[in-house]
Amino acid sequence: MNRFFLIPLMVGIPLLQHCLAATGHVEAKEAKQSVGSHVRAKRGWVWNQFFVPEEMNTTSYHIGRLRSDIDNGNKSFQYQLFGEGAGTIFEIVSNTGDLYAVQKLDREERSLYTLRAQVTDTTTGQAVEPESEFVIRVSDINDNEPKFLDGPYEAIVPEMSPEGTFVIQVTASDADDTSSGNNARLLYSLLLGQPYFSIEPTTGVIRIFSEMDRELQEEHRVIIQAKDMIGQPGGLTGTASVLIKLSDINDNKPIFKENFYRMSVSESAPVGTSIGTIVAYDNDLPENAEMDYSVEEDDSQTFEIITNNETQEGIVTLKKKVDFEHQNHHRIRAKVKNRHVADHLQNYHVAASTTFIKVQVEDEDEPPVFHFPYYIFEIYEGNPHGSSVGTVSARDPDFKNSPISYSITKSKMFRIDDNGTITAATPLDREISAWYNLSVTATEKDNVQQLFEVPVFVHVLNINDHAPEFSQYYETYICENVDAGQVIQIISAVDRDESVEKHQFYFNLSIEDTTNSSFMIIDSQDNTAKILTNRTGFSLQEEPVFYLPIVISDNGLPPLTSTNTLPIYVCACDDRGNAETCSNRDRMLAKGFRTEVIIAVLICVVIIFGFIFLILSLKQKRKQILFPEKSEDFRQNIFRYDDEGGGEEDTEAFDIAELRTSTFMRERRARKHAPSEIPSMYRQSLQVGPDSAIFRKFILEKLEEANTDPCAPPFDSLQTFAFEGTGSLAASLSSLGSDVSDPDDNYDYLNDLGPRFQRLACMFGSAMQSNN
């Protein structure tokens, strides 16, 4: 069977040897060419693969020649090429079998092409041999530079990191064939970044080469170069940029901006007053720059420093008040340190920064100062006028030492002089008041605005100036037939004096009653005594009352004695000892019926209040009935007159008929709401006597009615005759209501009242009755 074979062109001995070594065997029908021991003859095609360089300097590159082993130079054989890139990338000379690459090849785009070859006889049109497949491989050249696909890079590393600290690893890639020589073997190096950083040549790991301080330079930019061909000359290179930032650590201690501060404070400034600020700076970032201020030296313990967390300033404040006269300036030393310091960074904060502060105290005009915050004095009661109680003392704390005057506020019992001596203005009585609370004011004479008060407590001490006396009022009752030695009363005593020891009272009868007395006393030694009868039988008629004088003594120094009289009433008693008749019967009745009397009094009070309430209700109802004219319209019936009247002969001022008519109309309307006997009762009430309260109330009601009635005429043109008042012997002189008078009334008494009442006597007397 005939075979194709390939005669490759000699493109250089090394290339030919490489191709032969890769493909295996090559057969040559024509003149055999000796290319070394690696080539031996074989029938058929030269198949398998061909190598073509990816970079070609011409547009047509001769790869080799395809020849059949039966081709003896006959011009009728024709070679054809099929497969990937046939006719476009690769072309074959049909009569010779020469194979060409007509386009530039790129191994990184495609490194292998599979083709088929066919040889036919043009005379017969038949294939001389079957198709043969072969491969064309594109051989690599170093035409791609290294590239950093992940750049640009950023890394963060703590400042002051030691040498060898890992920072970041960078990696470059090369598109060339890693299995073909050193085209893709890279080496890394630093173009920029020394002397702080280093890089491992084969791994691209960047490390710290020397310590760096963030406060000097916060960021560093490093340029990395990757070179292929193991860094040999002629290799291609690629670069990348790495931004390395230094993170902050607390490697800086705070330092004061000033070594010395001057401040001032008034001696009148209260505790807690801010007198100034001190400032320290720290180059670290805020989280590592937090600081605390404190006082390191202050012998007077007068000041303290508070840290302002927002501004990181130290505020110097008063811890206690200052006194210009005692110390006019203070010198303190303050220190500052970071609030949070890690253990491994303590070596950066060994010695804290300090500064000195001088505080000048400013003098102020201060009020007087007493030697004590309060005073307590004691004085015995019953002291004479002007007795000394005690002395207070104050001074001017200022340097000028102004003289002081004293005064007592709101007290008439005590006086004080310019020396501060307090005296009693009147004798004191402990039983009235045992303590006096005074307020003494000290005032500078040079500046009366400067004053100060101090409390003074005066304790009045007790003396035995009150004799003991009965603890209550005693009244004793005995029966006529009482036996001797019977206890009729138990008495006790009180003493208004204050005793250091417990009060002890002694009871005795007076000297004149000791020998000849119908009664005797027994001291119980517990501040009580028993009164006993000393004989049998007493007579209510002969001696109804006994007045027993009892002497009571106390245990004071000196002891005081008083004589108290105990009244003893003799009573006539029944067989069971109940008193029936006593010399002081009223007292007995009051004592026996005290409860019943109280109940009776309460019942009477309730009845009186009920009666008063009933009277008030009737009066209110009577006013509504007796004066119905409040709702009448007087404007057409009442005529105005301003003259005082001319006596009996004056009949021109007003028309009495109009008054009668108006009155009659009002009374007829009133009868609809009230019984017929009310007018007569009303006239009788007017004759009782003066009743200014009722009259005043009536006037106020009429005035209120006129003020609130928008349709009423002016008040000065209205004359009201409905109520004339009480107390007149002639009763009411008004003619209002005359038409409704009781027909049985007799008005003849008007003739006895004198000439002023003659006209009324004519109108209402016997003549009027006879006319009727």
Side-chain angles (χ1 to χ4, degrees), residues 38 59 72-73 119 125 154 172 193 245 280 334 350 398 484 506 539 569 581 594 626 660 717 729-730:
H38 296 286
T59 58
N72 54 4
V119 58
E154 285 189 5
K245 297 180 179 180
V350 176
D398 298 319
Y506 308 96
S539 176
Y569 300 94
T581 304
R594 184 175 301 168
L626 293 180
R660 290 181 178 177
S717 64
L729 295 177

Side-chain angles (χ1 to χ4, degrees), residues 148 150-157 165-170 188-200 204-210 212 217-226 238-246:
F148 293 90
D150 297 329
Y153 298 90
E154 285 189 5
I156 299 176
V157 63
T165 302
F166 174 84
V167 179
I168 193 175
Q169 183 177 12
V170 296
Y188 300 93
S189 61
L190 289 180
L191 296 182
L192 180 63
Q194 299 88 352
Y196 300 113
F197 304 96
S198 63
I199 190 169
E200 294 179 359
V205 174
I206 301 175
R207 298 183 182 275
I208 298 294
F209 187 75
S210 63
M212 292 167 289
Q217 185 175 349
E218 186 174 359
E219 297 180 348
H220 295 266
R221 188 169 295 278
V222 178
I223 304 299
I224 308 298
Q225 175 182 272
T239 59
S241 174
V242 182
L243 179 62
I244 301 176
K245 297 180 179 180
L246 300 180

Side-chain angles (χ1 to χ4, degrees), residues 586-647:
D586 295 336
R587 295 177 181 269
M588 293 296 293
L589 291 175
K591 185 175 182 180
F593 300 98
R594 184 175 301 168
T595 303
E596 292 79 358
V597 170
I598 293 176
I599 295 175
V601 169
L602 292 176
I603 294 175
C604 292
V605 170
V606 172
I607 294 174
I608 291 173
F609 275 103
F611 184 70
I612 292 174
F613 179 76
L614 179 60
I615 291 176
L616 293 178
S617 300
L618 291 175
K619 285 185 177 182
Q620 184 68 23
K621 186 175 181 181
R622 184 181 302 165
K623 289 176 184 179
Q624 296 176 357
I625 296 175
L626 293 180
F627 306 108
E629 67 275 5
K630 295 181 180 180
S631 60
E632 295 288 341
D633 189 359
F634 295 95
R635 287 174 292 181
Q636 296 180 0
N637 300 324
I638 303 301
F639 297 89
R640 173 180 174 181
Y641 63 97
D642 296 330
D643 55 335
E644 298 182 359

Side-chain angles (χ1 to χ4, degrees), residues 475-479 488 568-569 571 582 584 587-588 591:
E475 288 185 350
T476 304
Y477 299 88
I478 62 173
C479 295
I488 61 174
I568 301 175
Y569 300 94
C571 301
C582 293
N584 193 350
R587 295 177 181 269
M588 293 296 293
K591 185 175 182 180

Side-chain angles (χ1 to χ4, degrees), residues 41 176 271 295 311 343 542 577 610 656 673 682 705 710 715 737 753 770:
D176 293 327
V271 174
V295 176
T311 62
D343 294 337
E542 294 179 0
I656 192 64
H673 305 282
Y682 175 64
E705 180 182 350
F715 187 77
L753 295 180
S770 61

